[in-house]
Amino acid sequence: PESYHALRPLCSPTLCAAIRTMTWELIDHTGDVGVSARAPTLEELFAECGRAMFSILADAPAPAPRETDAFPVAGADPAEELRDFLSELLYRFSAEHRLYVSFSAAPGVVSASWELYREDRHPLRTELKAVTWHQLRAVREDGEWRALVIFDV
């Protein structure tokens, strides 16, 4: 199935092919915010969920990454590992002011590039307090990985 992006009806096939499609979406959840994501590999699923979380957190209009952190993905317990990964990113944002602006996936690892968060440069969108266990899932279905993550706001 084709991925969706909002400009598909307005652009040429060449331009459309160059636009990165979203493979995650926000979902309504009482008092919290949730993300539903999909990807062909577990590592790409983690990267999509990281992108989604930082899109919820803050705006990065012109990303200028300073460094990249690597996070291993073992796959033993995908849902718990996904929660730990996102919680670690959220901790590093809160404690070390690392705004992750780019994610890439390779077998067994997700790389996340970051720049220092500056309030004047990165307008805060929503404060996320935690990655919850509520309805958490990361499963392989119909040939792709799917996740549901609820964030406490």
Side-chain angles (χ1 to χ4, degrees):
E2 282 189 276
S3 296
Y4 168 80
H5 69 73
L7 299 178
R8 186 165 304 282
L10 305 174
C11 64
S12 71
T14 304
L15 179 59
C16 281
I19 297 173
R20 188 182 181 294
T21 56
M22 286 180 48
T23 57
W24 59 270
E25 62 182 311
L26 291 177
I27 56 172
D28 274 336
H29 193 275
T30 308
D32 293 323
V33 63
V35 169
S36 173
R38 66 184 192 288
T41 68
L42 183 59
E43 294 85 357
E44 289 176 65
L45 183 71
F46 280 36
E48 284 302 317
C49 289
R51 282 185 199 99
M53 183 173 78
F54 279 92
S55 292
I56 295 167
L57 272 170
D59 190 21
R66 287 176 51 164
E67 293 185 41
T68 301
D69 296 334
F71 300 90
V73 178
D77 185 342
E80 184 172 343
E81 225 175 305
L82 176 60
R83 184 190 171 282
D84 290 348
F85 167 71
L86 295 172
S87 293
E88 180 65 21
L89 294 177
L90 187 57
Y91 168 78
R92 291 180 187 197
F93 174 73
S94 298
E96 300 169 6
H97 308 290
R98 292 183 185 192
L99 180 67
Y100 289 93
V101 295
S102 174
F103 293 84
S104 62
V109 68
V110 173
S111 297
S113 299
W114 59 271
E115 62 184 78
L116 282 177
Y117 171 76
R118 287 190 6 224
E119 192 173 335
D120 63 324
R121 182 168 147 68
H122 308 104
L124 194 61
R125 291 183 175 163
T126 304
E127 181 183 356
L128 299 180
K129 297 177 189 173
V131 183
T132 73
W133 288 102
H134 183 66
Q135 296 181 337
L136 178 68
R137 64 185 215 121
V139 295
R140 186 148 178 82
E141 293 178 345
D142 301 324
E144 69 180 357
W145 283 92
R146 296 174 186 247
L148 176 65
V149 182
I150 307 294
F151 300 100
D152 184 22
V153 294

